[in-house]
Amino acid sequence: MKHWQIERDENALVWATLDRAGESTNALSAEVLAEFRELLDQLDQAPPKGLIIRSGKAAGFIAGADIQEFTQLDSAEKGRALIARGWDLFNRLAAVAYPTLALVRGHCLGGGLELSLACRYLLAVDEPGTKFGLPEVMLGIFPGWGGMLRLPQRIGPAAALDLMLTGKTLDAKRAKRMGLADEAVPPRVMTAAARLLVQSGQPRRKLPLLQRLLNGPLKSVVANGARKQVAKKARPEHYPAPYAIIDLWAKHQGNALAAPEVLDRIINSATARNLVRVFFLQERLKGFGKASDFKALRVHVIGAGTMGGDIAAWCVLRGMTVSLQDQNLERIAPALQRAHALFTRRLREPLRVREAFDRLIPDASGDGVAHADVVIEAIFENVAAKHALFRALEPRMKPDAVLATNTSSLRLEELRGVLQRPERLVGIHFFNPVAMMPLVEVVAAEGADPAMVQAACAFVRQIDKLPLPVKSTPGFLVNAVLAPYMLAAMRAVDAGVTPEAVDEAMLAFGMPMGPIELVDTVGLDIALAAGQQLAGGVEPPQCLLALVEKQQLGKKSGQGFYRWADGKPQKVDASGTALAKVGAGRTAIPDGLAESLVKPLIERTAKLVADGVVADAELADAGVIFGTGFAPFTGGPLKYLSDR
Ligand code: NAI
């Protein structure tokens, strides 16, 4: 066999090790599954005492199906055949007479988890990389190889739907606690533990009675609750897959082949095609981090404000040691508080929270500069202040350290003039809020040192963000495309459309937040300044000027286009009563409003590609999706344009 290594040991246990040829991670391609079928044929002839399935890759267990094969489905028959391939094979695995065990170390996702669920036992290796999940929904499809059948049987339907509808993952300890894994053991004993467990004869843990009822006669209770949850986040016309998952589980025992019309509709949907495309775009962005071996251990951040404080905390969360500098300790304190809250939320265990907090060093005198591999400047948006800082920084820095600015609007060409080695300055432009936004623009000014730009991309990957290389022009990509869109939205308000109607139109289009609420969130003064810089000298919208005049600056001042309470805009409908929830759709929306608002964004994106600010249309689509949340099911602004 090309992809599987088979050993029969002295106890008549068969160890099947998946080591997919020519790839660094395991995926369940057609070939890999065909070989696995052959293996089951062989074992039918000479049944072992037990079968243990494990991975030969350092990277993890199995990442899922081969998504490349998914892009080659051009007919309904092929789609059904792909589902049948895994569904039938894993049913066969689940039915063999000898005990089977999946020994899972590292990621176990999608088809990999479905294979594991078809084994009698699941042994999780407890280490940081081990995670279990069924993320198919994020590609606009469903776990069709038995996941929708077996995960609810294993951990109960509510927990299973939660995993399948969000795509989130579980670590080894939680997998054990929820009953997904039979055991969670440290790496050094995993082989012995697998051998013992597969021969143990131990029965599978049975679901508690209530869970069995919910997975049987009371299915509709769970299904109705799940539909309500999904409806809060995704409209069925944009994202049909989560609704299909609930129906396939509730009405067809998770067997998509029993509902061919659902299967065909989902597998061939434009949403699935576009989300798969977005997945590959994301892989392309990740690839920018691989051009350099640069690895940062220590980071120094200057400016502990909104951005600097959160950037420092994020880098700590990703394992680095970070010194955080500001004018004095009082200015650093709020950032430390926010960091502690972030660590507590993300790491949960007190020991890990403390370890993280120990790696965040308040550093008013800037001693950390001398040891840092990356220095990030995030002080006031002021050229003179940044010049003074750079002059002082450069002589103290390690010669090969990356020097980066987080500036949104200043020209790198102007900022770097004071440096001995101006070519070393790069832009590493984060978005607010740092912990939430996946994209980071890596800005190269004319004549920038390519090694520094590549090192900056590698650093961005190291902290699990997506680097997008852009040229140094006003607004780079993301802010430059947002500006004309927000301007158009405010022009509509000037023309008499209510802010609620404008926002509702764009939510219905598929944006994560309406543009008027976005202006309120960013701050009206900032929006005005950015507009003046990025809108090419056009007259600012009347509504914006009037509110700024009254110092109604949006969320931060409690009043902007909306009144803000408890961090939420208080939206009202035409009759003046508060809307029950955002997007309740009761405001009058003029025909074609969304199209007309999104048009300037699309046109600006195309222009930036033509001008070479971003290298090609694919990367522009990726940047706008991951930087603004632009409706992912459309595949991005330029894909949307070409589809129309
Ligand atoms: P901020 O005003 O919240 O924080 C700036 C911090 O820098 C303050 O704590 C200040 O005391 C400190 N600082 C000023 N001069 C200093 C010096 N010489 N040495 C040490 N500390 C000094 O500003 P914010 O919003 O965090 O912005 C920082 C940078 O990030 C700016 O260049 C801005 O354009 C950029 N940016 C801001 C975004 C945002 O949404 N706020 C988004 C992306 C980039």
Side-chain angles (χ1 to χ4, degrees):
M1 288 187 185
K2 203 163 122 198
H3 305 292
W4 293 88
Q5 288 142 21
I6 313 299
E7 291 159 61
R8 202 176 267 263
D9 72 11
E10 63 283 5
N11 302 317
L13 296 178
V14 167
W15 296 76
T17 307
L18 178 58
D19 194 354
R20 191 180 176 204
E23 304 282 343
S24 60
T25 47
N26 283 330
L28 298 176
S29 64
E31 257 187 34
V32 166
L33 291 182
E35 285 191 5
F36 188 67
R37 186 175 313 111
E38 257 175 61
L39 169 67
L40 292 184
D41 290 343
Q42 286 174 23
L43 298 184
D44 280 350
Q45 303 306 313
K49 281 267 165 52
L51 168 65
I52 296 168
I53 300 169
R54 63 182 172 182
S55 160
K57 301 288 189 209
F61 182 66
I62 297 172
D66 183 341
I67 299 174
Q68 205 69 54
E69 288 178 0
F70 192 80
T71 60
Q72 290 147 17
L73 300 179
D74 48 17
S75 69
E77 290 69 44
K78 285 188 191 166
R80 291 182 201 179
L82 180 116
I83 298 298
R85 184 196 294 157
W87 172 262
D88 293 341
L89 185 61
F90 293 168
N91 278 347
R92 189 175 157 196
L93 172 63
V96 297
Y98 47 85
T100 53
L101 178 144
L103 170 50
V104 176
R105 179 180 199 180
H107 54 233
C108 174
L109 303 172
L113 179 52
E114 294 179 296
L115 182 145
S116 306
L117 284 165
C119 293
R120 187 179 300 173
Y121 302 111
L122 200 167
L123 180 64
V125 179
D126 187 7
E127 62 176 17
T130 298
K131 51 182 183 172
F132 298 89
L134 292 174
E136 284 82 352
V137 73
M138 291 155 102
L139 298 177
I141 54 178
F142 46 72
W145 291 352
M148 293 183 290
L149 167 69
R150 296 192 180 90
L151 191 62
Q153 292 174 343
R154 192 74 65 102
I155 64 172
L161 283 173
D162 184 39
L163 287 182
M164 293 192 288
L165 297 175
T166 60
K168 69 183 168 201
T169 57
L170 301 175
D171 62 17
K173 281 205 180 66
R174 292 192 71 199
K176 163 84 186 9
R177 219 178 303 139
M178 293 175 67
L180 173 58
D182 297 275
E183 297 292 345
V185 298
R188 68 196 150 76
V189 301
M190 63 183 188
T191 312
R195 198 178 289 127
L196 274 177
L197 184 57
V198 78
Q199 301 181 93
S200 66
Q202 169 182 321
R204 296 272 356 201
R205 186 188 83 115
K206 242 179 143 184
L207 269 186
L209 177 65
L210 174 64
Q211 293 298 331
R212 271 181 283 146
L213 290 174
L214 291 172
N215 202 32
L218 301 182
K219 268 185 174 177
S220 61
V221 178
V222 181
N224 289 341
R227 272 189 211 103
K228 280 202 195 107
Q229 282 304 108
V230 170
K232 283 188 201 155
K233 295 199 189 130
R235 298 178 190 231
E237 65 273 27
H238 298 157
Y239 297 100
Y243 297 91
I245 290 173
I246 299 170
D247 288 347
L248 289 171
W249 165 73
K251 298 181 194 150
H252 304 282
Q253 272 59 259
N255 179 6
L257 298 167
E261 71 295 341
V262 180
L263 189 158
D264 294 349
R265 182 164 54 79
I266 298 294
I267 300 287
N268 298 308
S269 64
T271 294
R273 263 198 307 281
N274 283 332
L275 291 181
V276 167
R277 175 171 180 270
V278 172
F279 171 84
F280 285 112
L281 296 184
Q282 182 172 347
E283 294 302 300
R284 237 190 112 187
L285 293 182
K286 288 181 183 172
F288 288 114
K290 294 184 184 146
S292 161
D293 296 332
F294 180 84
K295 210 167 159 50
L297 295 173
R298 287 175 158 268
V299 179
H300 184 76
V301 180
I302 307 137
T306 310
M307 295 305 289
D310 289 5
I311 293 168
W314 183 259
C315 293
V316 167
L317 198 60
R318 287 290 161 264
M320 292 167 201
T321 300
V322 182
S323 40
L324 178 58
Q325 181 182 346
D326 206 301
Q327 303 176 35
N328 51 50
L329 281 176
E330 288 70 49
R331 286 187 180 253
I332 303 177
L336 297 182
Q337 245 173 25
R338 289 204 311 276
H340 197 271
L342 175 73
F343 302 158
T344 309
R345 237 179 10 254
R346 294 288 182 111
L347 301 173
R348 290 197 208 97
E349 291 169 33
L351 187 64
R352 293 180 66 201
V353 173
R354 211 183 69 209
E355 278 167 2
F357 206 59
D358 286 349
R359 290 198 304 273
L360 179 55
I361 305 159
D363 180 16
S365 50
D367 297 330
V369 174
H371 313 287
D373 307 303
V374 177
V375 175
I376 302 174
E377 170 277 308
I379 67 168
F380 301 140
E381 194 73 327
N382 176 296
V383 178
K386 295 201 195 235
H387 274 168
L389 179 68
F390 286 158
R391 273 199 204 91
L393 276 178
E394 192 180 25
R396 299 172 69 192
M397 283 178 58
K398 293 203 287 191
D400 52 352
V402 172
L403 175 59
T405 172
N406 187 46
T407 185
S408 287
S409 62
L410 301 175
R411 297 189 60 240
L412 267 66
E413 286 79 354
E414 186 179 357
L415 292 181
R416 69 185 179 179
V418 296
L419 294 170
Q420 297 292 319
R421 283 167 51 199
E423 69 284 358
R424 84 185 303 186
L425 184 73
V426 293
I428 299 187
H429 185 236
F430 287 84
F431 297 94
N432 187 10
V434 174
M436 304 279 295
M437 299 298 292
L439 191 80
V440 173
E441 291 172 322
V442 174
V443 188
E446 198 59 41
D449 178 354
M452 283 293 152
V453 177
Q454 287 171 0
C457 287
F459 163 70
V460 170
R461 266 319 287 153
Q462 219 189 321
I463 57 171
D464 273 339
K465 299 285 182 192
L466 301 171
L468 175 71
V470 292
K471 282 207 185 132
S472 167
T473 56
F476 314 125
L477 172 71
V478 170
N479 288 345
V481 305
L482 279 177
Y485 164 63
M486 287 155 89
L487 179 66
M490 290 185 282
R491 291 259 192 262
V493 173
D494 276 353
V497 186
T498 64
E500 281 86 352
V502 170
D503 280 351
E504 170 55 25
M506 296 322 297
L507 290 173
F509 179 86
M511 298 301 197
M513 180 188 273
I516 299 295
E517 185 177 338
L518 183 60
V519 175
D520 259 9
T521 307
V522 170
L524 274 62
D525 49 342
I526 307 244
L528 182 60
Q532 274 161 351
Q533 188 198 15
L534 299 173
V538 299
E539 194 56 28
Q542 288 307 317
C543 55
L544 179 65
L545 286 175
L547 290 167
V548 171
E549 178 103 335
K550 288 189 274 184
Q551 283 300 303
Q552 299 186 341
L553 302 181
K555 186 176 181 179
K556 62 185 167 192
S557 75
Q559 174 75 53
F561 285 95
Y562 299 111
R563 192 171 64 74
W564 287 74
D566 301 327
K568 292 205 174 64
Q570 307 300 301
K571 299 193 174 185
V572 294
D573 69 9
S575 64
T577 48
L579 285 180
K581 64 177 170 53
V582 176
R586 279 183 280 145
T587 47
I589 302 171
D591 280 349
L593 180 61
E595 293 295 322
S596 71
L597 297 185
V598 86
K599 191 163 168 256
L601 182 156
I602 296 173
E603 286 172 354
R604 182 64 65 90
T605 308
K607 171 99 174 31
L608 292 171
V609 174
D611 292 349
V613 173
V614 50
D616 58 49
E618 275 195 352
L619 292 177
D621 274 347
V624 177
I625 288 175
F626 293 112
T628 73
F630 188 97
F633 73 91
T634 64
L638 298 179
K639 176 72 168 37
Y640 174 77
L641 181 66
S642 73
D643 283 348
R644 301 225 98 200

